[in-house]
Amino acid sequence: SLSAPIVSIVASCDRETVTTIERAAALAERLHHPAVLPIHCFAAALGTSHGAALFGRLSSDIAGLKTRIEHVLGRITPFDRVVTTDDAVITALASAYVHAARARQRSVQVIDLLVALTTPEGAVRDCLDDLGITQQQIANTATWLRAIDALRSRYRRYHARGALRKKGGMNRAMTA
């Protein structure tokens, strides 16, 4: 179950980000962890298309990263109670929301969440430091992925508009 501050931010997330947050909560619940931690969100985000593209573009050792994440998850003490959301996750979601708002995006994307999760010190940052992945590399790759997504959506939008133009004899001479 998600707490109230997250629900208001989740309303402005795209479908892939909402699914990532739900998977993180399910992972924490399945492992009997007392709270949804940033490492749960990070592990869930790696399974998304944007997460795979980000770390694939970095040419990082995904198997090594998954091993480190499993090791960190294994060190968390199981506890039998309702899963809550850690303050660090709420802070990361708020940071992703602010970044998306400043960039004038329609919604918070998984890339924004991944960048927000890897910024502060903690278990996620330690896993990435072990592999030699810096915050600057993640930020640069995220910017590249956003640019590719923007170009792709612009192409789709204009391609769809071109399909709607009139194709009659008289109008064919008026349009290119």
Side-chain angles (χ1 to χ4, degrees):
S1 66
L2 299 174
S3 60
I6 289 187
V7 172
S8 60
I9 294 174
V10 167
S12 62
C13 294
D14 66 355
R15 186 70 212 140
E16 189 177 29
T17 307
V18 172
T19 304
T20 300
I21 295 167
E22 290 170 351
R23 285 183 182 163
L27 176 64
E29 190 173 346
R30 188 173 68 240
L31 296 175
H32 301 290
H33 291 165
V36 178
L37 301 171
I39 194 74
H40 295 114
C41 292
F42 185 71
L46 282 179
T48 64
S49 61
H50 283 98
L54 182 79
F55 287 97
R57 184 72 182 163
L58 284 171
S59 300
S60 59
D61 179 21
I62 297 294
L65 184 60
K66 287 183 179 180
T67 303
R68 284 171 176 77
I69 290 171
E70 289 171 359
H71 179 68
V72 170
L73 289 174
R75 289 188 305 189
I76 299 171
T77 307
F79 197 75
D80 283 332
R81 70 177 175 132
V82 177
V83 176
T84 60
T85 307
D86 191 56
D87 290 338
V89 173
I90 295 171
T91 304
L93 276 170
S95 175
Y97 176 79
V98 167
H99 182 272
R102 285 186 182 154
R104 296 188 175 147
Q105 297 175 358
R106 291 183 178 177
S107 61
V108 178
Q109 299 174 345
V110 173
I111 296 171
D112 302 320
L113 182 60
L114 274 169
V115 171
L117 288 169
T118 58
T119 301
E121 295 300 318
V124 174
R125 186 75 247 151
D126 293 341
C127 289
L128 295 174
D129 287 341
D130 288 347
L131 294 173
I133 300 172
T134 65
Q135 177 58 35
Q136 190 62 43
Q137 287 175 320
I138 291 174
N140 290 345
T141 307
T143 302
W144 180 83
L145 285 172
R146 284 187 198 105
I148 294 298
D149 283 346
L151 289 172
R152 189 176 293 126
S153 68
R154 186 183 303 165
Y155 170 79
R156 287 182 184 144
R157 186 173 59 241
Y158 287 116
H159 185 72
R161 283 185 183 170
L164 296 176
R165 70 174 191 206
K166 303 211 188 283
K167 296 174 181 72
M170 182 63 176
N171 288 322
R172 191 171 292 199
M174 299 296 210
T175 60

